[in-house]
Amino acid sequence: FNSGLTARAWPSDESHYEYGPAPADLIERARHIARLAEEHGTTLPEAALTYAARERCVASVVIGADSPAQLEESIDALEERRDLGPLWAALGL
């Protein structure tokens, strides 16, 4: 979740990135992705996890969590592995 920037459905102005305050341009970029994720029926955290695990060559994804509930949400998102191809296309990926 890159120190918190993509850990919530809507990044706050106080989001962190690389263990420090997130620059305003990255917060806006994360919010753009969050809007697109919502349009495609998902959330920013689910998209972040799914993106990290989408390639067959990825053997594992290390998940940070603030609570057991947040960890369970992450595990559920990875187990579901919805097809987010339309979201990736909208993002030019």
Side-chain angles (χ1 to χ4, degrees):
F1 295 122
N2 217 324
S3 302
L5 184 63
T6 62
R8 291 177 175 57
W10 188 255
S12 74
D13 290 337
E14 292 79 33
S15 293
H16 286 83
Y17 175 77
E18 298 293 326
Y19 303 102
D25 62 319
L26 283 182
I27 293 172
E28 284 308 310
R29 184 173 179 197
R31 287 176 177 168
H32 171 72
I33 296 169
R35 277 189 215 82
L36 286 174
E38 186 176 311
E39 290 173 14
H40 287 86
T42 191
T43 64
L44 181 60
E46 184 177 348
L49 288 171
T50 304
Y51 182 80
R54 73 185 187 142
E55 298 294 333
R56 289 183 163 269
C57 64
V58 174
S60 63
V61 175
V62 178
I63 302 168
D66 288 336
S67 68
Q70 192 178 51
L71 182 59
E72 287 180 25
E73 289 172 11
S74 297
I75 291 168
D76 290 345
L78 284 172
E79 287 178 342
E80 188 171 328
R81 296 251 184 145
R82 287 194 282 161
D83 177 18
L84 296 181
L87 173 59
W88 309 143
L91 290 167
L93 302 172

